[in-house]
Amino acid sequence: MPISLVKKTRMRTTTKCVVLVALVSLCLLFIRMLNKPDKVVGIWNRGAPEDILQNTLLQPSEKLAHIPLKWKDDILQLLPKNSCKCEVEPTMDIPFRKELFGKPFAVNFTSSLDPSLLDKTYKIREKEYQKFKMRSHHPMDKLIIAKANSPLEYPIQGVEVQPLKTILIPGLSLQDTLRKVYKVSLSSTIGTFDTVAEVEGVTVKGIGEKHITLSSPHMDNLNRQLQLITYTNTAFHPNTADTVQFQTNEHTAMFNIKVRHPTMPKLYNPGSIDSSYNISALVTIATKTFLRYDKLQNLIDSIRKSYPTVKIIIADDSETPQKVEGPFIEQYIMPFGKGWFAGRNLAVSQVSTKYFLWVDDDFIFGPRTNIEKLVDVLEKTTLDLVGGAVREVTGYYTTYRQKINVMPGGKTGDCLMTQQGYHHLIEGFPNCVVTDGVVNFFLARTEKVLEVGFDPKLSRTGHLEFFIDGLGKLHVGSCDNVIVEHASKIHLSWSKTEVDKQYDKFRYPKSSDHSKNIKHHLYYFKNRLQCMTGN
Ligand SMILES: *[C@@H]1O[C@H](CO)[C@@H](O)[C@H](O)[C@H]1NC(C)=O
Ligand SMILES: *[C@@H]1O[C@H](CO)[C@@H](O)[C@H](O)[C@H]1NC(C)=O
């Protein structure tokens, strides 16, 4: 080969290499540009909201402290105080009083508790209550006062009264320019106004009515009176709001007073007060079985290696159910072939712990099936449900993270879009992300899942449907460092047992058109969707 030719080839190779390197780096750059770095968001539980005590609302600011007033005891005692009592009110002794009106009673729950445990139980209860308050508090419940852009100052949000009860309205005042007479009025639709004291130099009209007018030649006196206005809800409704109008001659402001009962807490005793987790007290393992008793037994055996005293709840709709024996096991027999979601519903309805772990009956606990890690995520964040990973026999891991989106579609119904992936990483939990749907191996807050429920109409197949029903109700996460094994799923047809064949017949029917039809009908009618896209 002549030298020049060798050189040429070499040169060509070099050029090719350079081009190739450039192309590859360009590609990498492009891929990096597509894959923006993951966002990390803190979703730690924040502190519980402070209660606004009505007593502090009664205190005047320094500027208004000198204005004389006369308290009205009858109205004052209507205001909520943190000192309720259960005492039998003394009544007149009349004949047949018991038969006519029943026997009055008062029970103090404290006295039926073991005195030696009282202190501990109280502390655990308060700790769980603070967590509950953090979770049930909504940003819209926070009291916000609109400072006087117009001359009117008033609460934008965060005013709340119990049905048929009385409160002070916080944050009302007038900041006007010099006038001869200052005059404001308040109107409501399902409540009345009163004053808790009469302030000197203020004329009030409409006491005990839906429309109240206050006027005074002194703005400070009027403002002191405005601090002492009460609102009494007069039409019972357990959860509604009254829109109040606050007016001067030239300006109108409107704000809402929420009318509702306090959210009744439902607390679970976590079994210990220190920071370690007692999994038996916190978690129930729930599963649904159909025919596959050998697989179920393997699952139970594997659970018992690490969690000997955690309760296992089994919903079973086999035709000829076999008894599943063992300590801390509850088996619920259902009508034959009731189905997948009905079974989930039944199992979860029987859970009496704060959390439950959902597993399929053909899963196997392994060394990385660490429930404590999932409990830690739910205890420390605002998540309601957190999925783990399922390792298939092929070695492939499934987390099945799905983002779910609803796009408005007008009269014909909305459009649903599902997309693999997640919204963001979770601060402090490097293996976890926030998403909308996860694999059928998850730890969940029992209360929240009961709110959503599993639609029993989905009998044969169904999974994502639960997360679609839970959209906007559940805060969902997924962690890939808690892993359960999936016992053989791929079966060669000649190695299948009779049970396998029977199972397949039910779970994956030949004409799956019927179950698809049911699903589509549910999407269309129940969820008011017209179509769905996904990947
Ligand atoms: C209930 O009983 C406990 C102790 O016996 C007592 O401290 C508490 O004040 C009682 N509560 C009421 C509302 O009477
Ligand atoms: C954990 O909880 C279980 C069930 O409530 C209880 O029986 C057990 O004593 C608790 N264990 C510890 C160490 O507190």
Side-chain angles (χ1 to χ4, degrees):
M1 203 188 275
I3 293 173
S4 62
L5 207 70
V6 174
K7 240 188 187 165
K8 223 178 185 175
T9 335
R10 214 179 270 156
M11 250 177 65
R12 236 184 247 155
T13 331
T14 349
T15 339
K16 259 189 202 159
C17 266
V18 169
V19 169
L20 204 72
V21 166
L23 259 177
V24 166
S25 9
L26 251 174
C27 271
L28 282 179
L29 192 78
F30 190 60
I31 288 172
R32 210 174 294 157
M33 265 163 57
L34 274 182
N35 280 337
K36 276 181 287 175
D38 281 323
K39 198 155 90 180
V40 182
V41 180
I43 51 168
W44 297 91
N45 280 321
R46 312 284 171 204
E50 298 234 346
D51 287 328
I52 299 163
L53 287 178
Q54 294 261 310
N55 277 347
T56 55
L57 292 178
L58 291 174
Q59 303 304 323
S61 63
E62 220 171 284
K63 190 175 160 217
L64 305 182
H66 66 278
I67 300 170
L69 49 77
K70 203 171 104 212
W71 295 105
K72 287 157 71 175
D73 287 335
D74 52 337
I75 306 292
L76 256 178
Q77 60 164 314
L78 293 177
L79 298 179
K81 303 171 215 42
N82 271 343
S83 57
C84 69
K85 285 204 177 58
C86 296
E87 284 165 353
V88 174
E89 283 182 24
T91 48
M92 281 216 289
D93 232 357
I94 52 167
F96 302 111
R97 145 150 246 303
K98 193 172 137 201
E99 285 74 9
L100 285 171
F101 306 110
K103 186 175 162 14
F105 70 91
V107 192
N108 184 335
F109 302 130
T110 320
S111 33
S112 52
L113 290 173
D114 181 349
S116 65
L117 292 178
L118 188 61
D119 189 46
K120 186 177 167 213
T121 312
Y122 169 77
K123 281 189 184 135
I124 296 180
R125 186 187 72 169
E126 279 316 286
K127 202 170 151 199
E128 289 299 304
Y129 179 58
Q130 288 308 317
K131 288 187 197 167
F132 162 82
K133 275 217 302 198
M134 268 189 268
R135 305 191 57 79
S136 58
H137 181 77
H138 196 277
M140 296 269 285
D141 297 337
K142 187 173 177 238
L143 179 64
I144 296 178
I145 309 285
K147 292 291 177 190
N149 290 329
S150 78
L152 296 170
E153 217 167 274
Y154 58 95
I156 292 176
Q157 61 171 39
V159 187
E160 192 168 324
V161 64
Q162 287 191 34
L164 306 184
K165 296 277 170 65
T166 301
I167 51 153
L168 276 176
I169 304 176
L172 293 179
S173 94
L174 179 74
Q175 305 295 333
D176 214 347
T177 46
L178 204 58
R179 275 169 200 272
K180 256 198 213 135
V181 177
Y182 298 90
K183 186 170 164 191
V184 294
S185 70
L186 286 153
S187 331
S188 74
T189 49
I190 51 167
T192 57
F193 301 99
D194 206 319
T195 58
V196 80
E198 290 162 4
V199 175
E200 216 172 83
V202 181
T203 315
V204 182
K205 278 193 196 133
I207 292 271
E209 287 170 28
K210 282 184 179 175
H211 185 87
I212 192 171
T213 310
L214 301 91
S215 56
S216 173
H218 312 289
M219 190 162 71
D220 281 355
N221 292 42
L222 182 80
N223 280 335
R224 184 66 183 122
Q225 184 70 76
L226 275 173
Q227 288 184 325
L228 304 170
I229 300 280
T230 62
Y231 169 87
T232 303
N233 169 247
T234 51
F236 180 88
H237 190 297
N239 191 5
T240 183
D242 193 348
T243 303
V244 173
Q245 272 193 37
F246 184 33
Q247 283 179 302
T248 62
N249 280 339
E250 300 92 11
H251 295 90
T252 302
M254 287 206 254
F255 60 93
N256 279 321
I257 298 181
K258 276 193 189 169
V259 180
R260 63 174 181 186
H261 282 298
T263 318
M264 193 51 85
K266 191 163 180 193
L267 310 179
Y268 295 87
N269 194 327
S272 73
I273 182 118
D274 46 45
S275 53
S276 67
Y277 298 126
N278 180 343
I279 296 300
S280 302
L282 278 169
V283 178
T284 303
I285 297 175
T287 190
K288 149 88 177 54
T289 199
F290 180 67
L291 296 169
R292 308 194 285 192
Y293 291 102
D294 50 337
K295 297 218 166 68
L296 179 64
Q297 196 53 54
N298 292 342
L299 167 68
I300 294 172
D301 295 344
S302 72
I303 293 173
R304 287 304 177 224
K305 282 185 198 143
S306 351
Y307 301 103
T309 59
V310 173
K311 193 198 271 182
I312 303 174
I313 289 183
I314 302 156
D316 186 346
D317 62 347
S318 308
E319 189 165 21
T320 45
Q322 293 173 21
K323 188 138 181 50
V324 181
E325 313 261 7
F328 305 106
I329 289 181
E330 279 176 20
Q331 182 185 16
Y332 292 88
I333 310 290
M334 304 173 70
F336 170 53
K338 226 13 207 156
W340 184 225
F341 264 37
R344 283 192 177 193
N345 238 357
L346 175 69
V348 176
S349 74
Q350 298 307 307
V351 172
S352 58
T353 49
K354 185 171 181 180
Y355 304 116
F356 74 88
L357 181 78
W358 182 265
V359 290
D360 281 358
D361 60 350
D362 60 345
F363 286 174
I364 303 278
F365 272 43
R368 289 174 295 177
T369 319
N370 192 333
I371 306 180
E372 285 83 350
K373 281 189 184 160
L374 296 180
V375 169
D376 199 45
V377 175
L378 292 194
E379 280 284 310
K380 291 181 178 161
T381 67
T382 55
L383 293 180
D384 298 307
L385 184 154
V386 60
V390 178
R391 199 172 81 103
E392 304 293 344
V393 269
T394 53
Y396 179 72
Y397 293 87
T398 315
T399 49
Y400 193 67
R401 293 166 176 171
Q402 298 281 330
K403 291 193 281 183
I404 306 170
N405 227 317
V406 176
M407 289 165 299
K411 275 190 181 159
T412 46
D414 295 337
C415 300
L416 189 79
M417 203 172 94
T418 68
Q419 202 184 1
Q420 289 178 26
Y422 55 88
H423 302 294
H424 62 78
L425 299 174
I426 301 176
E427 188 189 296
F429 296 94
N431 290 91
C432 306
V433 299
V434 166
T435 182
D436 297 312
V438 294
V439 72
N440 38 346
F441 168 57
F442 56 80
L443 184 79
R445 220 168 273 287
T446 310
E447 277 310 296
K448 291 296 286 194
V449 169
L450 286 174
E451 270 175 38
V452 179
F454 295 94
D455 194 326
K457 285 192 181 122
L458 290 159
S459 58
R460 297 297 171 81
T461 58
H463 179 66
L464 195 61
E465 291 77 1
F466 163 69
F467 293 99
I468 291 169
D469 281 347
L471 198 67
K473 297 190 188 103
L474 298 177
H475 196 190
V476 178
S478 166
C479 302
D480 60 11
N481 59 338
V482 180
I483 300 158
V484 78
E485 312 283 328
H486 196 182
S488 57
K489 190 168 188 177
I490 308 150
H491 259 309
L492 302 172
S493 58
W494 57 82
S495 73
K496 275 188 185 170
T497 62
E498 266 314 301
V499 168
D500 286 338
K501 282 180 191 158
Q502 224 181 328
Y503 179 83
D504 286 357
K505 199 179 107 196
F506 267 89
R507 187 71 204 280
Y508 315 107
K510 283 258 153 47
S511 64
S512 61
D513 282 358
H514 178 63
S515 80
K516 215 187 255 171
N517 242 333
I518 293 178
K519 255 190 213 185
H520 291 179
H521 197 88
L522 280 177
Y523 279 137
Y524 180 83
F525 199 94
K526 180 178 74 179
N527 301 126
R528 201 185 159 270
L529 295 169
Q530 56 170 316
C531 64
M532 173 175 179
T533 58
N535 64 354

